[in-house]
Amino acid sequence: MLYAQILINGLVLGGLYACIAVGFSLVWGVLNVINILHGTFVVLGSYIAYFCYVHLGIHPFLSIIVSGGILFVLGFLVQAGLINRVMGAPVLTTLVLTFGLELLLNNGILLAFSADYRTVQLANPLGSTIIGGLVFPLERVVATALALGLTVLLYVMLAKSRIGRAIVAVRMDAEAAALMGVNVKRIYAVTFGVGALMAGAAGSLLAIVFPISPLNSTEFLGIAFVVCVLGGLGSVAGAMVGGLALGVIESFGALFIGPEHGLTIAFTLLILLLIFRPTGIMGRRGYE
Amino acid sequence: MKKQNTTTRPLWGGAAGRLTALALLAGAAGLTQSAAAQETMKVGAPLPLTGALSPEGLKQQRGYDLWAKTVNEAGGITVGNKTYNVEIVYVDYESQTPRAVQSAERLITEDGVSFLFSPFGSGAAKAASSVSERYQIPTVAPTASSPSVYDQGYQYLFGTFTPNSTLTTPLADIVANSGEEIKTVAIYARNDLFPLAIAQEMEASAKAQGLEVISFDEYAIGTMDHGSAFTLMRQSQPDWVFATGYINDLILIRKQMADLGITPKVLTMIAGPAYKEFIEASGPLAENVSSAAWWHPAVSYEGEDIFGATTDYVAAFEAEYGSTPDYAEASASAAGAILQVAIEKAGTIEPQAVRDALAGLDIVTFYGPVRFSETGQINSLEPPVFQIQDGTAKVVFPEDVKQADMRYGDIN
């Protein structure tokens, strides 16, 4: 029973981790850009959810549309207007660019909203339900379900839609895609936009789970990194498996060697994986 | 990258105000050459204005700024035939302790400050204290409680927080003698200097009262999930849960406790509930959470310092910032007010004389009675225990400022 509860905790947490990481993984995989802005995009999504709820009464589960939409536009503009100018430059250049943009955006949020921690307090909290002695915190469960749902939607979009196939084509071989008539720079911008959209949506969902503050961005970015490496870079399925794996490993790690070392086990596995299977659990496939 | 050790002046409003004030002063000085010379006394304040500790750093800054503004509006500090305006020189050490030490040294050697306020927390205050001791600069630490900061044999360091045990001893006493069936305690601590120290102190205080400490778990800094710890705690059903950490940890911990259905008779958290942000962020979940802190706006003293009565201080703070001061903000203001009294008593800003005046102080301030022990740590305060009841913090101890009885149960 104890193990079942810990497994539930881990899966519920892991779904959220997957949602945080999937956009980051997509951008890294397709654009070869390590988007340091990603954590701050998640935080911005959380703030949008907070203000939507406090001022407009829109539930965070619904405001994923608003935050996703705003972040898509922001991401598209950032890529089209700035990062596209240095695409093809060494990865360090784009890294420094997104790092600089992150400093600007994060400090902007800090100035605008202060470092105070806020939370979305639902007027009608869902509470928890107990089934067979196992506790299901419903807000987390629904947030995780939505997070996984969005991730599956992204998978389907990449696999079935015209723009999705173009993204995958650019990821496989940008030059060949360009020869086939794909506007590569536009696809870059769309991909970055989709990555930001996923970050914004994740932020909305996290708003009812975690306290909201600009200071959280580094933690979210760290999670995105770990999940990508665990699951395998650039694939939606990899992010999903990596996220769930991280959540479950962290939970059982905390159980067996104490809450202080939950992440220690996760990071030890990460190092082992880097040594023995550097392509991640799902390998370097990802051409959905 | 940001420039290291960026000197941070107060924000635009303050800077503009100061410029105007300086311009006026310059003009006035030009017109009345014979008037008493208005000089500037610099006090250095290394603070974590950015990075993980920035919420704490900003609190301290608000406390100092209010003191400086109050002093300057009252015409400055007069000693002998000189009048000093106060200027606080801030350096942002970006929440990195090694930089706090460098900042303290820079403030003394380059900015020429006469006095220093310690950086945030026991760890950084201890690290920086060696610098102020070396240069013999009287230093007031507003947020360092660990006795290990003060027992280094230093002469120039004074602190406005009593040792951690003065918070946990009355808590354990109240709970153990409540008449309720409270026998077991689970302690859950952030593995960080102050949160861990106060948790260890609580373990000792609880054991001294005959309570059984059934678990003592630590969680790492930056932990984003406490599910496993609370799943185990749910099985052990402690009567009293004592959790330590900073405000973000405690908001998350409170929510996850509720999610996983942990309902102890008493839930005590240090150091979040003293901040209104905790109550706002936790909403109904904040109800009946108890805590202790070095100061609370509900305490009442008739101070001899510049702020006067506690109620006057609270009113001045609210007028300036639109919010009620918490213990960190009050302690920062008190650090300034105490330094001012010592300077006035010394009749000079000469470091040795001010240091001696600080060591010999025995006064009442808006913050409480102020007397320093041999080591320099305040030993005259009786920190209040309080509980959040009906959305506001109510003092339940000490008796003379008590506002309500401690409630038991109803932690959902």
Side-chain angles (χ1 to χ4, degrees):
Chain A
M1 188 64 88
L2 176 65
Y3 293 155
Q5 182 69 55
I6 299 288
L7 183 66
I8 290 167
N9 296 348
L11 289 173
V12 168
L13 183 66
L16 296 174
Y17 282 177
C19 195
I20 292 174
V22 70
F24 181 77
S25 176
L26 185 73
V27 168
W28 197 349
V30 177
L31 279 70
N32 197 28
V33 168
I34 300 171
N35 179 20
I36 305 293
L37 264 170
H38 193 78
T40 300
F41 280 165
V42 176
V43 168
L44 197 56
S46 291
Y47 274 104
I48 292 169
Y50 174 82
F51 289 114
C52 276
Y53 188 71
V54 172
H55 296 298
L56 305 172
I58 304 174
H59 196 288
F61 291 155
L62 295 176
S63 66
I64 51 176
I65 300 165
V66 183
S67 52
I70 293 174
L71 264 295
F72 176 82
V73 173
L74 179 67
F76 186 95
L77 292 177
V78 165
Q79 178 69 34
L82 294 167
I83 305 177
N84 264 350
R85 294 168 188 271
V86 292
M87 289 300 287
V91 72
L92 194 63
T93 309
T94 50
L95 183 91
V96 170
L97 179 60
T98 59
F99 180 66
L101 290 172
E102 199 273 340
L103 283 180
L104 280 175
L105 184 61
N106 197 271
N107 281 289
I109 296 176
L110 200 61
L111 268 180
F113 306 137
S114 85
D116 285 353
Y117 287 94
R118 303 164 198 233
T119 55
V120 173
Q121 291 167 41
L122 298 176
N124 300 303
L126 298 176
S128 301
T129 186
I130 298 175
I131 302 171
L134 297 172
V135 183
F136 292 82
L138 289 179
E139 279 153 21
R140 278 187 175 233
V141 170
V142 175
T144 299
L146 282 171
L148 292 176
L150 275 174
T151 312
V152 170
L153 208 62
L154 177 65
Y155 182 90
V156 173
M157 190 275 276
L158 288 176
K160 302 285 181 197
S161 75
R162 196 176 161 78
I163 196 110
R165 296 320 294 162
I167 290 174
V168 175
V170 169
R171 188 205 143 117
M172 292 172 81
D173 190 330
E175 281 180 17
L179 289 173
M180 296 297 122
V182 175
N183 182 342
V184 174
K185 289 217 158 177
R186 196 170 141 263
I187 290 300
Y188 281 157
V190 169
T191 309
F192 200 87
V194 170
L197 179 152
M198 291 303 289
S204 260
L205 296 172
L206 292 172
I208 52 169
V209 176
F210 296 116
I212 305 162
S213 164
L215 307 175
N216 290 341
S217 65
T218 43
E219 259 106 38
F220 293 147
L221 184 67
I223 287 168
F225 256 109
V226 176
V227 169
C228 278
V229 178
L230 265 181
L233 205 56
S235 87
V236 173
M240 198 176 305
V241 170
L244 292 172
L246 181 65
V248 172
I249 294 165
E250 191 184 321
S251 295
F252 277 98
L255 176 71
F256 290 128
I257 53 170
E260 193 188 354
H261 300 294
L263 276 175
T264 315
I265 288 207
F267 277 88
T268 308
L269 277 179
L270 182 75
I271 292 168
L272 291 176
L273 210 64
L274 279 173
I275 295 169
F276 296 109
R277 194 178 161 81
T279 51
I281 297 170
M282 297 299 285
R284 193 183 286 275
R285 291 185 298 140
Y287 304 127
E288 283 89 355
Chain B
M1 287 291 281
K2 284 179 211 163
K3 204 174 103 189
Q4 197 175 327
N5 293 342
T6 312
T7 301
T8 312
R9 305 289 172 193
L11 290 174
W12 295 113
R18 177 158 299 127
L19 279 176
T20 317
L22 279 175
L24 286 173
L25 276 173
L31 289 172
T32 54
Q33 290 286 337
S34 58
Q38 189 93 357
E39 296 186 23
T40 298
M41 181 189 89
K42 289 184 183 174
V43 184
L47 283 182
L49 296 174
T50 55
L53 293 173
S54 62
E56 304 288 349
L58 294 168
K59 280 178 190 301
Q60 266 181 265
Q61 189 176 36
R62 282 200 288 270
Y64 298 147
D65 282 346
L66 181 62
W67 169 65
K69 182 170 184 262
T70 310
V71 171
N72 293 340
E73 282 179 357
I77 302 177
T78 306
V79 281
N81 58 356
K82 282 188 182 168
T83 304
Y84 294 96
N85 265 329
V86 172
E87 184 195 346
I88 310 224
V89 186
Y90 291 106
V91 178
D92 176 17
Y93 65 83
E94 298 167 20
S95 303
Q96 296 179 35
T97 301
R99 288 194 187 170
V101 180
Q102 293 166 6
S103 308
E105 184 142 18
R106 203 197 88 175
L107 282 163
I108 296 169
T109 56
E110 290 181 29
D111 293 305
V113 301
S114 307
F115 306 102
L116 210 61
F117 294 137
S118 291
F120 173 76
S122 291
K126 185 173 183 177
S129 63
S130 60
V131 176
S132 47
E133 188 71 14
R134 189 168 359 118
Y135 291 98
Q136 303 194 329
I137 295 290
T139 301
V140 185
T143 50
S145 61
S146 172
S148 69
V149 178
Y150 303 97
D151 62 11
Q152 306 175 86
Y154 288 171
Q155 298 294 309
Y156 285 81
L157 181 65
F158 298 88
T160 54
F161 276 1
T162 48
N164 295 334
S165 60
T166 59
L167 269 63
T168 57
T169 305
L171 266 168
D173 183 37
I174 292 168
V175 174
N177 299 306
S178 61
E180 302 280 325
E181 273 288 294
I182 296 169
K183 292 190 161 46
T184 55
V185 189
I187 297 174
Y188 191 58
R190 172 175 157 126
N191 187 4
D192 200 351
L193 193 73
F194 168 71
L196 192 55
I198 195 97
Q200 286 162 343
E201 209 60 67
M202 176 47 83
E203 186 181 26
S205 299
K207 283 180 176 167
Q209 289 287 347
L211 297 166
E212 185 194 353
V213 178
I214 51 173
S215 64
F216 188 118
D217 287 313
E218 296 164 25
Y219 63 91
I221 297 168
T223 297
M224 296 187 72
D225 185 76
H226 304 276
S228 296
F230 291 144
T231 301
L232 284 172
M233 204 182 275
R234 190 163 176 265
Q235 292 193 320
S236 62
Q237 297 276 341
D239 298 322
W240 183 9
V241 174
F242 182 81
T244 74
Y246 293 112
I247 187 162
N248 54 326
D249 305 311
L250 296 178
I251 293 169
L252 181 60
I253 284 173
R254 182 65 196 98
K255 183 150 173 54
Q256 273 206 289
M257 282 182 74
D259 280 348
L260 289 169
I262 297 171
T263 56
K265 292 195 182 91
V266 184
L267 171 59
T268 305
M269 294 181 149
I270 290 180
Y275 298 153
K276 66 170 176 39
E277 293 93 325
F278 176 85
I279 303 175
E280 285 168 2
S282 296
L285 292 179
E287 204 58 19
N288 294 329
V289 175
S290 47
S291 189
W294 287 272
W295 182 87
H296 191 276
V299 301
S300 175
Y301 295 100
E302 288 296 326
E304 305 160 38
D305 60 300
I306 186 152
F307 291 112
T310 309
T311 47
D312 295 337
Y313 172 74
V314 174
F317 192 96
E318 285 174 343
E320 184 70 16
Y321 301 113
S323 63
T324 309
D326 55 44
Y327 70 91
E329 289 157 335
S331 184
S333 296
I338 292 166
L339 179 64
Q340 182 184 0
V341 173
I343 291 168
E344 285 164 354
K345 280 196 190 297
T348 168
I349 63 165
E350 195 269 314
Q352 179 67 44
V354 174
R355 182 259 153 220
D356 291 343
L358 277 167
L361 274 190
D362 189 358
I363 54 161
V364 176
T365 66
F366 81 90
Y367 180 71
V370 174
R371 219 170 35 245
F372 296 106
S373 71
E374 286 284 297
T375 62
Q377 187 167 20
I378 198 167
N379 63 4
S380 48
L381 274 187
E382 195 167 35
V385 175
F386 56 90
Q387 186 177 39
I388 295 158
Q389 299 183 354
D390 308 318
T392 54
K394 302 262 168 65
V395 176
V396 297
F397 175 87
E399 284 297 325
D400 48 352
V401 289
K402 181 173 168 173
Q403 297 173 309
D405 285 321
M406 181 96 149
R407 289 182 191 162
Y408 297 90
D410 282 339
I411 306 279
N412 298 309

